[in-house]
Amino acid sequence: MSCNRSQPGNAVKNGVYIKKENGKYSLYRNGEPFFIKGASGFTNLKRLKEAGGNTIRVWDTSNLGSVLDSAQANHLAVIAGLPMPPSESIDDFYKTPKAIAHVKTIAGIVNRFKHHPALLSWCVGNELAFPYKPKYNQFYTVFNDVVDMIHLDDPQHPVTTTIMSFQKKNIINIKLRTKIDFISFNVFGSIQTLNEDLQKFKWFWDGPFLITEWGIEGPWIADNQNAWGAYIENTSTKKAEQYLDTYEKYMPVNNSRFLGSMVFYWGQKQELTPTWFSLFDENGAETEAVQVMHYIWTGQKAPKKAPVLKYMLVDGKGAKDNIIFKSNITVNSKVYLENPDTTGLTFKWKIFAEDWFKPNGAFNQNKPKEIKNLIIGHSGPDLTFKVPDQEGPYRLLVYVYNQKGSFATSNTPFYVLKNP
């Protein structure tokens, strides 16, 4: 890994750079230390600034100009992702003319936006694998062509790449075979061992690092599945508790190499469900997790408070109870709040056809199909609905909004067996 860019030379003294002082790495921006308090996402930027955040991260160059402009208007910095195909695409990309064309395209993007005042850093690829085998040499050639181009054309901004969790193989090859300026980690459950992992491997790699994604555990843990493989999602209230607990227990805030962290996901994102990682809904209403981040970043409680949702029961059963219904019957559901007084709250119920398959190891990011006309009646936290007539897996979701722009969510998977 390149080390000579960790000190501010003449080319970068007025730009963004990493400096090591008294054994501690710090990121500098506009001549001042800049500790990243950020989020992955590109919406709700005004709220991010109000909550004490200072940086966003985007994965690709789609609408990068408008993202940078919006960030600048809200006094936020941007880590701009530059897409790279997986290193496994060696024969159909890295050893073809496509790779040369791709480097030229990225060079055009870098030179177009390198002077934008909101730009903080470039991120080459997202969760790439960095293999040992010689057959991947051409991947490293192309990857380093991009990094070298950025260092030459834009010495004002450092270069990183993200890897999934703490993986020694990737770190070894990044250090020995690339010239990036710092490593970025996307960590979820594995953040619990990150401090220990960093310390144990310090003998080999002791460079600066950033956490570009952290948050609640995702829908990939087998223990969180029911009998037919549907994943059980916690309530938004429980997830807010987990964000705070994770940060306070496991974030390596006292590590001298730590440049900051970026919570996932600042916006609304479909990943198995519309709500799993979403800190907001599609219209900008916020969950309690946003208020947790406000507290983490500022040390002060947020001025508004989301409803506190305890749990949901469907036909008297919880999400882990393997709920199976015959088609076309009528069922009652209820959501339980900490405060039984529901005055001023709005309850929105939705039923989706579940798509829990993972082709190519990835969840479908298309919005699930909502099944209309199944709700028979609802009054506050109580719902009566008709079970769908088609056999298969479904999910019932509730959104509970208050009058201050906050909401809470819960959902329950159920399975339908066709009546003969």
Side-chain angles (χ1 to χ4, degrees):
M1 196 175 347
S2 175
C3 296
N4 54 5
R5 284 178 50 83
S6 292
Q7 301 297 333
N10 292 331
V12 298
K13 64 181 179 181
N14 295 318
V16 180
Y17 57 86
I18 298 170
K19 186 177 182 181
K20 188 176 184 181
E21 302 171 289
N22 301 319
K24 177 177 172 55
Y25 285 100
S26 297
L27 190 71
Y28 277 75
R29 183 178 188 234
N30 299 324
E32 300 289 336
F34 187 84
F35 184 73
I36 294 174
K37 297 186 286 186
S40 289
F42 56 92
T43 60
N44 306 291
L45 301 189
K46 182 175 182 289
R47 184 67 184 101
L48 178 63
K49 181 63 178 178
E50 290 172 349
N54 60 17
T55 307
I56 63 169
R57 172 192 170 221
V58 291
W59 292 262
D60 56 39
T61 56
S62 301
N63 304 311
L64 181 57
S66 62
V67 169
L68 286 164
D69 289 345
S70 296
Q72 180 65 14
N74 287 281
H75 308 287
L76 300 171
V78 178
I79 296 177
L82 299 170
M84 296 289 288
S87 54
E88 295 83 358
S89 305
I90 195 72
D91 293 322
D92 61 359
F93 179 82
Y94 287 100
K95 289 184 177 180
T96 75
K98 296 180 198 174
I100 299 172
H102 189 66
V103 174
K104 289 182 179 178
T105 298
I106 290 179
I109 293 166
V110 168
N111 283 284
R112 179 182 175 188
F113 295 112
K114 64 184 181 182
H115 296 302
H116 200 290
L119 183 64
L120 183 70
S121 174
W122 298 103
C123 183
V124 181
N126 182 50
E127 296 185 353
L128 295 173
F130 291 85
Y132 289 118
K133 295 180 180 179
K135 78 173 188 176
Y136 293 102
N137 285 349
Q138 188 60 22
F139 158 73
Y140 286 101
T141 297
V142 175
F143 183 90
N144 285 322
D145 283 347
V146 172
V147 175
D148 289 344
M149 176 274 297
I150 298 173
H151 283 161
L152 180 65
D153 290 359
D154 183 17
Q156 300 288 324
H157 299 101
V159 185
T160 187
T161 190
T162 72
I163 58 175
M164 191 163 46
S165 304
F166 186 98
Q167 299 184 50
K168 291 181 181 178
K169 178 186 75 172
N170 283 332
I171 294 171
I172 289 170
N173 286 312
I174 287 171
K175 179 177 178 180
L176 297 179
R177 304 183 70 174
T178 80
K179 303 173 185 178
I180 65 166
D181 302 306
F182 63 97
I183 293 178
S184 294
F185 296 107
N186 292 346
V187 292
F188 290 89
S190 62
I191 196 173
Q192 296 181 16
T193 61
L194 184 60
N195 262 315
E196 183 181 356
D197 292 334
L198 288 164
Q199 186 60 34
K200 285 183 176 179
F201 208 48
K202 191 176 179 181
W203 66 271
F204 179 81
W205 170 70
D206 62 354
F209 69 93
L210 172 67
I211 295 178
T212 37
E213 290 181 17
W214 74 273
I216 60 167
E217 189 62 281
W220 44 65
I221 304 300
D223 289 348
N224 290 339
Q225 287 178 284
N226 66 10
W228 59 89
Y231 289 88
I232 309 301
E233 179 177 350
N234 284 319
T235 67
S236 57
T237 299
K238 182 64 177 178
K239 287 188 281 190
E241 294 172 1
Q242 291 173 330
Y243 277 103
L244 182 59
D245 189 62
T246 296
Y247 192 93
E248 291 184 336
K249 282 186 178 178
Y250 304 115
M251 194 60 67
V253 292
N254 295 318
N255 192 300
S256 61
R257 301 150 57 192
F258 183 49
L259 303 179
S261 63
M262 314 193 78
V263 69
F264 186 89
Y265 173 75
W266 197 265
Q268 192 279 323
K269 186 178 191 293
Q270 169 67 32
E271 192 151 348
L272 179 67
T273 76
T275 55
W276 197 291
F277 289 116
S278 303
L279 271 66
F280 294 82
D281 74 358
E282 294 172 332
N283 299 313
E286 66 183 56
T287 65
E288 189 178 344
V290 173
Q291 292 146 28
V292 166
M293 295 312 304
H294 188 119
Y295 172 73
I296 287 172
W297 288 330
T298 68
Q300 299 175 346
K301 290 186 177 180
K304 50 187 176 181
K305 175 74 172 172
V308 178
L309 196 159
K310 296 166 66 176
Y311 57 90
M312 177 202 291
L313 294 180
V314 180
D315 194 31
K317 300 180 180 67
K320 296 182 179 180
D321 290 333
N322 299 318
I323 302 170
I324 300 174
F325 295 125
K326 293 289 187 180
S327 60
N328 293 315
I329 67 170
T330 299
V331 173
N332 295 317
S333 175
K334 186 177 180 70
V335 62
Y336 293 83
L337 303 172
E338 184 176 79
N339 184 353
D341 181 4
T342 60
T343 304
L345 299 182
T346 301
F347 294 78
K348 294 184 180 180
W349 300 85
K350 295 186 178 184
I351 298 173
F352 291 105
E354 182 87 302
D355 180 6
W356 83 103
F357 296 107
K358 292 177 66 177
N360 303 317
F363 288 112
N364 189 341
Q365 293 192 12
N366 294 325
K367 189 174 180 179
K369 180 183 177 183
E370 183 178 356
I371 312 299
K372 303 281 190 176
N373 304 319
L374 293 175
I375 294 175
I376 298 171
H378 62 89
S379 176
D382 295 286
L383 172 77
T384 302
F385 69 96
K386 181 182 175 183
V387 173
D389 60 357
Q390 295 297 313
E391 184 163 330
Y394 296 85
R395 194 174 289 256
L396 173 67
L397 292 87
V398 66
Y399 299 75
V400 185
Y401 292 86
N402 63 20
Q403 296 175 328
K404 298 180 180 179
S406 299
F407 74 105
T409 66
S410 182
N411 65 68
T412 300
F414 63 93
Y415 199 94
V416 176
L417 294 175
K418 184 78 172 177
N419 261 321

